[in-house]
Amino acid sequence: MFSETLAWLIIGAPFFAGLTIIFVLRPWSPKLWKFSGLLGIAGVAIAFLLSLIAITSLLEHSYLEFSPHSWFVIGEKGSNTSFEMTIGILLDPLSAIMTAVVSGVSMLVQIYSLGYMRKDTNSLQDQWRDYPRYFCYLSFFTASMLGLVLAYNLLQMFVFWELVGLFSYLLIGFWFHRPAAAAAAKKAFIITRIGDFGFMIGILYLFFNRFEFIQRGLNPLEIPAISEAAPLLGSGVATLVALGLFAGAVGKSAQFPLHTWLPDAMEGPTPVSSLIHAATMVAAGVFLVARLFDLFSVSTTAMNTVALIGGFTAVFAALMGLVAHDIKRVLAFSTVSQLGYMFLALGIGAPGVAMFHLFNHAFFKCLLFLGAGSVHHSVHTFDMRYMGGIRKWMPITYLTTLIASLSLAGIFPLAGFWSKDEVLSSAFSDPSSVGSIVFFLALAAAFLTAFYITRLILMTFHGDFRGGINSVPQSDRIPDEADLHVHHHESPKVMIIPMGILAIFAICSGFLANSIIDLGFIEAHWFAHFLHEKAPLFNIWIALISTFTATAGIIYAITLYRKGLSELINPSILGVFSNKLLSQRFYMDYLYENLIVKTILYKGIFNFSNLLDKWIIDGSVNCLGWVGRNSGKALAQLQTGQTQVYGLGVSIGVVIILLFFQLQ
């Protein structure tokens, strides 16, 4: 039987690995810094092994119940007005799957990082300081995400939620000497805090409407209690709480309109981008809605909001991926789009389908980012305009990236096909008008996805080689790249092996996890049954439509780029105006920076606050001082030193008093 101690160790192993790296290995500098990577891998490997054991235990038990522990008490303990906050581990099929995905992907990324960070000397200005710092951040980041997944209550989840944001800030800004990286880290931190404020408001609103819970002896912030009592809250309270929590999910998972931070987060090391995009930070929002799905399902408004935001974001982000030149930014827009797919599925009442797509997405998206890092390892640029023709020098990287790309496009029988098909089938079978809308949005996103990922493959690996970093003008290079030159070679084995493992999962994870037939060694729809969800029926017509749509996108991209990439680096897909609009990301960053920050906040609110402070607050104080000072001067004029003047004043006062009493 899986014990609570082992469950806490899933979080503790990478956490203590990070502590050991920063407080033991790093201070010894030249002697032990090389072992920091191995220690980080060991910590997350322990977490991964324990996650697999937990899944095995859950195959025999529907859930593993661990009693929560007292955390703190508000008010006098035992009184009717007191409130006890608990802390504990919630280990059920949903959290077990997430811990396995998070720890497994993190382990492969850290193994990959052994080669990537040791060879990327331009990024490590001081190896014995930066190398341990990198693996320390990764360990803490993974531990925080695992803590979020296993949290027993909303406050505990919120603490780990914020820790994930903190360590993502440190990882995105790892190369803090680069202005772009520092700016990207601040942008990610600030924008996600906007969503987190909504998360906090949702928690507080639920706490102040806790009376339905208290009457039944339940804690309003404990996740099992929320699932049990959610139908009793009423649609009004449930809607406000759900929308507040969804705001946090929108920020963390980079959904419209809080999506702008994620493309800029590519300034961090490529393995970091892979980890953030594949299974950790951006998946947190999807997990949050899936974890509290019983609450969201009470409110039709909340469900429709989740579905429409997800469907719109899926198309919105895919459009921006059509014209991006930076390979990591294309993949970033792809992540935003695929997360929209997941929220779309959640909003139409298919949490199992959403988690299935998250499961598959973790493998092929992680592989795509590692492939981008492998390419950069050779050509030293992420700009696809300077790549091309490198498949002959990097055949393994090409093959694994191609597999991941086809899986992302949803080509049969790869992993992405099965989960994308279930999303489309669920939307198609939804009887509401929202289901019809999001079905066509998902279909449009499928076409766009196939197009931009084919474009990425063609511009990166096909055609003639366009020089890599050697062709990038010196004025466009960052200082760390000033002296770099192209070296045509395949990446080292320590980078290739994780890519090969991920490629295997990108091929078969979808079919094996949710096979439509019983394979003997694994039952049909195993993934859905494990999550205690109803397995969606396989719709052959939806599968054919999905495959045709993806194929059309691939063929259209090949048609546009077949003549040679030198002529078609940025073809006029939708016209000059549309290309300009897409390349500027629909001017969302301009809107936020110039309209909201500079105009509304700075010129409006900040200037108004300054005027309020200057004329009202300071003015009132200055006015009182002026009155006191000048009244003193006036009274000083009465101090003549002449007895007769004082006698006259007394006489006048007596007369006034007598008149007052006479009138009374």
Side-chain angles (χ1 to χ4, degrees):
M1 184 70 178
F2 198 80
S3 67
E4 184 181 4
T5 302
L6 294 177
W8 279 109
L9 191 57
I10 294 176
I11 306 171
F15 178 76
F16 284 113
L19 286 179
T20 306
I21 292 171
I22 200 66
F23 290 114
V24 178
L25 296 188
R26 194 168 183 263
W28 284 89
S29 56
K31 296 182 180 180
L32 299 176
W33 67 269
K34 295 181 181 179
F35 294 99
S36 57
L38 298 176
L39 184 58
I41 293 170
V44 75
I46 293 172
F48 178 62
L49 179 62
L50 291 174
S51 299
L52 296 180
I53 297 173
I55 291 176
T56 305
S57 299
L58 285 166
L59 291 174
E60 303 173 358
H61 307 83
S62 58
Y63 65 95
L64 299 176
E65 186 175 3
F66 304 124
S67 298
H69 308 279
S70 180
W71 189 2
F72 61 86
V73 178
I74 301 175
E76 186 177 352
K77 191 172 183 179
S79 66
N80 294 330
T81 58
S82 66
F83 176 77
E84 183 178 17
M85 194 68 245
T86 59
I87 188 171
I89 292 289
L90 180 57
L91 188 56
D92 62 358
L94 178 62
S95 58
I97 288 290
M98 281 297 297
T99 55
V101 172
V102 170
S103 57
V105 170
S106 179
M107 180 177 64
L108 293 174
V109 167
Q110 293 203 39
I111 294 172
Y112 177 94
S113 297
L114 289 176
Y116 186 89
M117 298 305 291
R118 288 286 295 275
K119 295 293 183 180
D120 196 8
T121 54
N122 64 298
S123 68
L124 300 176
Q125 297 193 336
D126 199 346
Q127 281 195 338
W128 70 267
R129 294 180 183 273
D130 292 345
Y131 193 78
R133 179 167 63 91
Y134 173 81
F135 283 97
C136 172
Y137 291 167
L138 277 186
S139 297
F140 284 142
F141 181 77
T142 303
S144 301
M145 187 64 198
L146 292 170
L148 186 159
V149 169
L150 294 171
Y152 189 80
N153 61 68
L154 287 183
L155 184 60
Q156 183 183 344
M157 180 184 286
F158 186 76
V159 171
F160 284 110
W161 186 277
E162 293 303 306
L163 287 174
V164 168
L166 170 63
F167 290 112
S168 68
Y169 165 79
L170 296 174
L171 285 169
I172 294 169
F174 179 78
W175 295 327
F176 55 84
H177 57 279
R178 300 179 181 176
K186 288 190 293 183
K187 184 177 182 179
F189 191 81
I190 293 171
I191 291 180
T192 53
R193 293 294 77 72
I194 296 173
D196 294 353
F197 180 75
F199 191 171
M200 183 181 66
I201 294 298
I203 294 175
L204 292 174
Y205 194 79
L206 183 61
F207 175 77
F208 288 113
N209 288 273
R210 62 188 183 276
F211 307 105
E212 291 289 346
F213 294 85
I214 294 174
Q215 292 176 2
R216 292 163 176 79
L218 301 173
N219 189 316
L221 299 186
E222 290 181 354
I223 294 172
I226 295 173
S227 298
E228 181 180 341
L232 306 174
L233 285 175
S235 60
V237 175
T239 297
L240 292 174
V241 174
L243 291 179
L245 299 177
F246 181 59
V250 166
K252 251 337 176 258
S253 295
Q255 296 295 283
F256 179 88
L258 302 180
H259 64 282
T260 57
W261 68 269
L262 193 57
D264 291 337
M266 300 301 98
E267 293 294 337
T270 299
V272 170
S273 302
S274 177
L275 187 58
I276 289 176
H277 283 253
T280 52
M281 183 177 176
V282 297
V286 178
F287 173 79
L288 173 64
V289 178
R291 168 60 79 202
L292 298 169
F293 185 76
D294 291 332
L295 172 65
F296 278 81
S297 61
V298 174
S299 170
T300 302
T301 301
M303 292 289 285
N304 290 341
T305 301
V306 173
L308 292 173
I309 290 290
F312 176 80
T313 305
V315 176
F316 184 77
L319 285 170
M320 290 183 284
L322 296 177
V323 298
H325 299 309
D326 188 297
I327 188 171
K328 289 174 66 176
R329 289 186 183 271
V330 175
L331 297 178
F333 290 127
S334 172
T335 298
V336 177
S337 179
Q338 295 303 304
L339 289 167
Y341 255 90
M342 301 170 203
F343 281 111
L344 183 158
L346 288 166
I348 57 177
V353 173
M355 293 305 300
F356 183 41
H357 194 53
L358 186 153
F359 177 78
N360 288 331
H361 178 264
F363 300 120
F364 60 69
K365 183 54 58 70
C366 182
L367 178 54
L368 283 169
F369 272 103
L370 296 189
S374 182
V375 170
H376 179 268
H377 192 263
S378 175
V379 300
H380 297 296
T381 182
F382 289 109
D383 196 326
M384 296 185 297
R385 292 173 296 182
Y386 303 107
M387 298 180 185
I390 59 176
R391 69 183 189 281
K392 54 188 171 186
W393 299 300
M394 309 182 73
I396 300 176
T397 298
Y398 172 66
L399 179 61
T400 54
T401 304
L402 181 63
I403 291 171
S405 299
L406 293 175
S407 185
L408 171 63
I411 300 301
F412 178 86
L414 302 180
F417 166 81
W418 301 99
S419 53
K420 186 184 76 171
D421 178 72
E422 288 195 2
V423 173
L424 290 169
S425 296
S426 300
F428 183 77
S429 59
D430 188 270
S432 67
S433 58
V434 172
S436 301
I437 295 171
V438 297
F439 171 76
F440 288 106
L441 289 174
L443 208 59
F447 174 83
L448 297 172
T449 300
F451 181 94
Y452 68 64
I453 202 62
T454 304
R455 171 180 177 265
L456 182 149
I457 290 292
L458 293 173
M459 291 185 66
T460 304
F461 295 100
H462 290 262
D464 298 325
F465 182 61
R466 296 182 294 279
I469 191 66
N470 297 338
S471 299
V472 178
Q474 287 290 337
S475 58
D476 294 338
R477 300 189 190 185
I478 60 177
D480 294 337
E481 298 176 343
D483 301 322
L484 292 179
H485 299 281
V486 174
H487 300 285
H488 296 305
H489 58 81
E490 186 61 90
S491 296
K493 291 182 180 180
V494 73
M495 296 172 63
I496 290 298
I497 291 174
M499 294 170 63
I501 296 172
L502 287 168
I504 294 172
F505 280 99
I507 293 172
C508 63
S509 68
F511 180 70
L512 293 179
N514 229 14
S515 172
I516 59 176
I517 58 175
D518 197 332
L519 300 176
F521 65 95
I522 188 170
E523 67 173 5
H525 298 293
W526 170 85
F527 191 90
H529 294 159
F530 182 70
L531 294 179
H532 307 297
E533 295 287 342
K534 182 181 179 181
L537 297 175
F538 181 75
N539 191 321
I540 183 64
W541 294 109
I542 297 297
L544 290 173
I545 293 172
S546 171
T547 302
F548 174 80
T549 302
T551 305
I554 293 172
I555 293 174
Y556 184 44
I558 294 174
T559 302
L560 284 177
Y561 287 86
R562 72 184 188 278
K563 296 180 181 180
L565 295 175
S566 59
E567 303 175 19
L568 291 166
I569 293 297
N570 192 9
S572 185
I573 304 169
L574 301 172
V576 176
F577 175 76
S578 298
N579 273 348
K580 181 69 173 178
L581 185 66
L582 298 181
S583 63
Q584 294 296 323
R585 311 180 199 175
F586 292 94
Y587 292 92
M588 290 293 293
D589 287 288
Y590 179 85
L591 176 69
Y592 287 154
E593 183 175 347
N594 290 278
L595 178 61
I596 296 178
V597 176
K598 292 183 179 180
T599 303
I600 296 178
L601 290 180
Y602 185 75
K603 293 183 179 179
I605 297 176
F606 295 163
N607 283 345
F608 175 76
S609 300
N610 183 56
L611 292 173
L612 182 67
D613 181 68
K614 182 178 180 180
W615 295 104
I616 304 299
I617 299 176
D618 288 350
S620 59
V621 174
N622 294 335
C623 181
L624 290 174
W626 182 88
V627 171
R629 186 171 58 254
N630 286 278
S631 60
K633 289 180 180 179
L635 290 174
Q637 299 300 318
L638 300 176
Q639 306 302 315
T640 62
Q642 297 179 0
T643 306
Q644 60 268 31
V645 175
Y646 298 148
L648 178 63
V650 171
S651 300
I652 294 173
V654 170
V655 171
I656 292 173
I657 293 172
L658 291 174
L659 288 173
F660 175 79
F661 284 106
Q662 185 66 32
L663 293 173
Q664 292 293 323

